[in-house]
């Protein structure tokens, strides 16, 4: 997909991307796995918790291809939005060698990517269908926002913004910000991880691309790199790498048999 003409919008771009990938209206349960299946390299990096910290990075590498790096700090529900934001850059600004992303930045590239992510993750038709299934014409209670946020796999704040774009909020966004989303989410029976800080240590599978891990394991098994060197590269202990290699060898043997 090439660059969009100026007369087209990020909303239409999101619709085209969904059509291109034959996604229909279904929520994207695991956007990371989907993007990796399309050949993108996804990294999760601790860019920082500061307000002006980098939220993500898009890089077009001559050998590795398209790379999206997202900040480890935000809650898990923000990760899907950051990935969709990076996808916008990948599809429509791929002529840029690298793009640094910051929340709240209002330059044309970032505004396009933010609007693209909102409509790519939450298509208008899917939102209207979900509201209808909930028996809601306009959202009047924060609990309804929580239900919708969980369904589409986005944060409470992002769901508010999306509902406002669709003119589906019975009141201003500020009226819905007088609650604690994480506590309300727990009270409604959802996972306690919703809206919690992502500052915890993430497992390798959430920090590095799957192909990156597979190549690292194969390098050790083929004696191309030492176990200690690869463990240092991955940021884990020698013992954990040995356990992972044992599991990897077992998997390879099962495939071969």
């Amino acid at each position: 997909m090439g660059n969009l003409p100026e007369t087209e919008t990020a909303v239409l771009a999101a619709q085209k991307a969904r059509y291109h990938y034959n996604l229909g209206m279904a929520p994207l349960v695991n956007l990371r796995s989907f993007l990796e299946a399309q050949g993108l390299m996804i990294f999760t990096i601790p860019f920082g918790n500061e307000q002006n910290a980098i939220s993500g990075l898009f890089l077009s590498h001559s050998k590795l291809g398209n790379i999206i790096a997202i900040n480890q700090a935000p809650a898990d529900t923000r990760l899907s939005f950051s990935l969709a934001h990076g996808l916008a850059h990948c599809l429509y600004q791929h002529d840029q060698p690298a793009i640094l992303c910051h929340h709240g930045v209002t330059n044309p590239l970032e505004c396009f990517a933010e609007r693209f992510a909102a409509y790519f993750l939450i298509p208008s038709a899917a939102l209207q269908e979900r509201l209808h299934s909930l028996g809601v014409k306009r959202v009047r209670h924060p609990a309804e926002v929580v239900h919708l946020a969980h369904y589409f796999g986005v944060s409470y704040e992002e769901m508010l913004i999306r509902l406002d774009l669709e003119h589906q909020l019975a009141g201003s966004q500020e009226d819905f910000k007088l609650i604690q989303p994480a506590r309300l989410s727990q009270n409604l029976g959802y996972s306690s991880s919703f809206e919690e800080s992502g500052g915890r240590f993430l497992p390798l599978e959430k920090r590095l691309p799957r192909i990156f891990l597979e190549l690292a394991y194969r390098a050790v098994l083929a004696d191309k790199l030492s176990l200690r060197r690869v463990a240092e590269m991955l940021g884990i202990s020698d013992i954990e790498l040995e356990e992972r290699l044992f599991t990897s060898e077992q998997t390879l043997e099962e495939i071969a048999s």
Side-chain angles (χ1 to χ4, degrees):
M1 299 176 72
N3 289 325
L4 281 175
E6 291 182 0
T7 54
E8 296 191 49
T9 65
V11 177
L12 182 57
Q15 294 171 350
K16 285 187 172 183
R18 279 207 161 237
Y19 179 80
H20 175 75
Y21 291 119
N22 194 28
L23 294 174
M25 295 192 303
L28 295 168
V29 178
N30 193 332
L31 181 56
R32 181 178 185 136
S33 294
F34 169 76
L35 293 180
E36 287 189 335
Q38 310 310 313
L40 277 75
M41 300 279 279
I42 310 295
F43 292 84
T44 304
I45 298 173
F47 287 127
N49 292 300
E50 299 81 9
Q51 188 173 2
N52 63 342
I54 296 172
S55 61
L57 164 69
F58 167 71
L59 175 66
S60 181
H61 194 276
S62 58
K63 293 183 178 180
L64 297 178
N66 290 324
I67 296 172
I68 297 175
I70 54 178
N71 192 2
Q72 177 179 322
D76 287 345
T77 47
R78 176 71 198 180
L79 297 184
S80 61
F81 198 89
S82 296
L83 287 172
H85 181 112
L87 177 62
H89 292 316
C90 174
L91 292 176
Y92 297 106
Q93 285 96 38
H94 50 77
D95 57 331
Q96 302 282 330
I99 299 175
L100 286 176
C101 307
H102 293 82
H103 294 317
V105 174
T106 57
N107 67 56
L109 289 182
E110 289 299 274
C111 288
F112 175 90
E114 287 287 292
R115 183 63 63 93
F116 172 95
Y119 282 83
F120 182 77
L121 292 173
I122 312 170
S124 295
L127 178 57
Q128 294 302 324
E129 184 179 89
R130 191 60 183 170
L131 288 170
H132 179 74
S133 67
L134 293 174
V136 174
K137 290 185 177 180
R138 298 190 74 196
V139 174
R140 300 181 179 278
H141 193 279
E144 295 165 346
V145 182
V146 170
H147 289 311
L148 290 166
H150 274 280
Y151 178 77
F152 288 105
V154 299
S155 72
Y156 182 88
E157 287 76 13
E158 288 156 4
M159 195 69 241
L160 274 183
I161 294 172
R162 186 65 185 85
L163 287 165
D164 199 30
L165 288 172
E166 208 75 22
H167 306 292
Q168 291 291 348
L169 287 179
S172 69
Q173 287 190 48
E174 297 304 318
D175 296 334
F176 289 84
K177 292 180 179 179
L178 303 176
I179 58 101
Q180 295 180 1
R183 179 173 295 179
L184 177 57
S185 180
Q186 291 179 34
N187 291 340
L188 292 171
Y190 289 107
S191 169
S192 60
S193 64
F194 184 74
E195 294 286 354
E196 287 183 353
S197 171
R200 60 197 179 283
F201 184 78
L202 293 177
L204 285 178
E205 288 74 15
K206 287 195 173 184
R207 290 190 283 122
L208 300 171
R210 182 176 55 188
I211 186 62
F212 189 93
L213 295 176
E214 291 177 358
L215 291 174
Y217 297 158
R218 290 179 184 275
V220 177
L221 294 172
D223 292 325
K224 293 183 178 180
L225 291 173
S226 70
L227 184 143
R228 176 164 295 182
R229 174 59 179 149
V230 171
E232 290 176 352
M233 291 169 59
L234 298 178
I236 59 177
S237 68
D238 295 4
I239 295 175
E240 181 179 347
L241 180 54
E242 285 179 343
E243 292 175 348
R244 286 174 169 272
L245 288 173
F246 177 73
T247 303
S248 179
E249 283 183 304
Q250 281 187 321
T251 302
L252 289 174
E253 290 175 2
E254 291 172 0
I255 293 173
S257 61

